[in-house]
Amino acid sequence: MRAFLLLAVLLAPTPASASEQPAEPVPSAEAPGTQPVTLEALREAQRQRLVESMSSLSALPPARLDEVLRLSLRDGLFEVECPLGSTGGVHRIELTDLPGLAQINCGADEQSGSRWIEWQHSEFETPEAVVTLLQVFARDNYLQIAADFVGPQRSGNMQLIQSPRNPGEDSHPHEQVRLYVQSFAGSEENIIERVSLQAANFPELLRQHRSEVLRHVISPLARRKLHRAILTTPLQRAWLVLETADPPPQVAGRVAELVHQLNAEAYSARRAAADELAKLGPAGALALRRVDRARLSEEQRQAIETILAGYGELSESQRAELASDPLFLIGVLYSEERPLWPTAIERLMQWRSIPSMTGSVGDAEQVRQMADAWLGQLIAELPTSQPSETPMDRGM
């Protein structure tokens, strides 16, 4: 792991060696008695430094990012996948769809079954930054995502750690996801922000601390296009909230047939109809909610209520709040539920118009690019931390 973290050593001590340490400062853009150094010159110097440090690594064939690393959520927790399989050590790799410098190491121990993924990427195009570094490290039941921002005027580092709590730790055992952030203006003594937050899972962390998570976690992930699966709105909730969307006609027609069958004389027919209704998913649940139950038998009503109970219920105020929440709607566009895209886009256009992003709703990649643009706007409008004379602590 020490060899893989060579680039990180150039920028900042990693959590494996020194937890929550600030990134190494870069030369000032205006040193006393010298000509101002441009941001572009600082970036090029840092890039050359990193290129030299990686020169001893063998290179893998160029590939897209999703052919090297995939990041997703399962049951609220991060999952990391390396489609390359085993790389047999640390290698540099050119990402064809992502500028910057990257390296990867993934493999498994045949005897223990332990698997590991180590990936890092440096890029030089973030506004106000000389370089930003993103690292993903996963082994068995431990995962860490770390980001460093190094600039002439400010710097900072973020660590998102996912692992079960060790016995005896001074915290609740169910807090599997922890976020640690330090941000500095000018020097390490001038702390803008210090964050320490915990939650049972990532969606809960995002709900409870949206601004901090969007700014410090989602923003660096989004610059690498690793954010979409993380922010996708769960399908059940998407259909539950956006009830103004119409279920596909074939689904609505089949629901009507099956609801009628729920009143059949034979128990086997009623059971088969209930099972098929449950398998129709969120779109079928939406069609079920629109059925006029006043004209149904008690058995039909009970069967429908049993199916809908699995989708949870929201109050009218909760539904209205989510239906106008930009982040919720952006997550709908990251999902595969095409029937919901027009409604989500219409509501997002009411929030912020993006005239340059008016492609076809049927083009999945165009829709995702629209969602990316709205997410960028949402992050840009977040309140920013300002330097203060005393450290600012949150959640500590």
Side-chain angles (χ1 to χ4, degrees), residues 52 54 66 80 107-108 114 148 172 176 185 205 224 266 280 298 302 309 341-342 361-362 384 390 395:
E52 182 179 354
M54 296 173 66
D66 64 1
V80 186
S114 176
D148 289 282
H172 297 293
Q176 295 194 67
L205 188 73
R224 279 84 175 180
L280 289 177
E298 182 62 25
Q302 288 183 357
W341 289 355
V361 176
T384 57
T390 58

Side-chain angles (χ1 to χ4, degrees), residues 377-388:
Q377 185 68 32
L378 182 62
I379 294 175
E381 295 180 3
L382 292 172
T384 57
S385 301
Q386 297 298 326
S388 61

Side-chain angles (χ1 to χ4, degrees), residues 5 85 114 125 164 170 180 227 231 233 240 312 316 340 351 381:
L5 294 177
S114 176
E125 299 181 2
D170 187 19
Y180 306 104
H227 64 297
L231 293 179
T233 298
L240 184 63
E316 288 301 320
L340 298 179
W351 171 65
E381 295 180 3

Side-chain angles (χ1 to χ4, degrees), residues 23 49 138 218 236 302 347 361:
R49 185 183 180 190
I218 297 302
Q236 293 183 355
Q302 288 183 357
R347 292 176 182 271
V361 176

Side-chain angles (χ1 to χ4, degrees), residues 40-295:
E40 289 73 19
L42 291 172
R43 285 173 171 171
E44 181 58 24
Q46 187 69 15
R47 191 185 72 82
Q48 290 296 334
R49 185 183 180 190
L50 295 179
V51 167
E52 182 179 354
S53 74
M54 296 173 66
S55 61
S56 61
L57 299 177
S58 59
L60 294 175
R64 299 191 315 271
L65 176 59
D66 64 1
E67 296 173 325
V68 176
L69 184 80
R70 296 172 186 169
L71 196 61
S72 61
L73 287 180
R74 182 176 181 180
D75 297 329
L77 297 176
F78 285 96
E79 286 196 338
V80 186
E81 178 187 359
C82 178
L84 295 175
S86 178
T87 61
V90 184
H91 298 269
R92 52 189 167 91
I93 185 168
E94 177 187 349
L95 300 174
T96 58
D97 55 347
L98 190 64
L101 305 173
Q103 61 186 57
I104 182 72
N105 177 18
C106 51
D109 186 310
E110 294 183 0
Q111 293 184 341
S112 66
S114 176
R115 301 187 62 84
W116 65 86
I117 297 173
E118 302 168 343
W119 176 85
Q120 66 182 28
H121 176 259
S122 302
E123 61 90 20
F124 310 88
E125 299 181 2
T126 300
E128 302 180 13
V130 174
V131 60
T132 68
L133 173 70
L134 182 70
Q135 302 176 70
V136 177
F137 172 77
R139 183 185 294 273
D140 299 333
N141 64 347
Y142 178 89
L143 179 140
Q144 176 182 281
I145 300 173
D148 289 282
F149 179 103
V150 182
Q153 306 302 325
R154 63 184 182 92
S155 61
N157 58 79
M158 176 278 292
Q159 300 168 36
L160 183 76
I161 296 173
Q162 175 180 289
S163 68
R165 286 289 192 178
N166 293 325
E169 285 194 59
D170 187 19
S171 61
H172 297 293
H174 67 274
E175 293 175 342
Q176 295 194 67
V177 178
R178 283 93 72 189
L179 174 63
Y180 306 104
V181 177
Q182 287 192 119
S183 300
F184 306 89
S187 68
E188 296 179 13
E189 290 74 26
N190 195 3
I191 298 178
I192 301 175
E193 188 173 23
R194 180 181 290 136
V195 173
S196 176
L197 304 171
Q198 302 83 32
N201 53 53
F202 183 75
E204 181 178 312
L205 188 73
L206 180 58
R207 284 194 299 271
Q208 295 177 355
H209 309 283
R210 175 182 289 200
S211 293
E212 288 87 351
V213 174
L214 283 176
R215 184 167 64 248
H216 297 300
V217 181
I218 297 302
S219 182
L221 290 178
R223 293 197 65 83
R224 279 84 175 180
K225 296 296 185 291
L226 288 169
H227 64 297
R228 293 177 177 176
I230 303 305
L231 293 179
T232 299
T233 298
L235 300 186
Q236 293 183 355
R237 177 145 292 200
W239 280 100
L240 184 63
V241 171
L242 298 182
E243 288 191 337
T244 55
D246 291 325
Q250 65 273 21
V251 173
R254 185 57 180 155
V255 164
E257 295 173 359
L258 293 171
V259 167
H260 179 73
Q261 189 175 324
L262 288 173
N263 210 30
E265 290 187 9
Y267 170 79
S268 58
R270 298 196 301 271
R271 182 70 255 176
D275 289 343
E276 186 174 345
L277 280 170
K279 293 177 182 179
L280 289 177
L286 175 59
L288 270 180
R289 287 192 184 91
R290 298 185 177 182
V291 171
D292 183 3
R293 301 182 207 179
R295 300 183 179 183

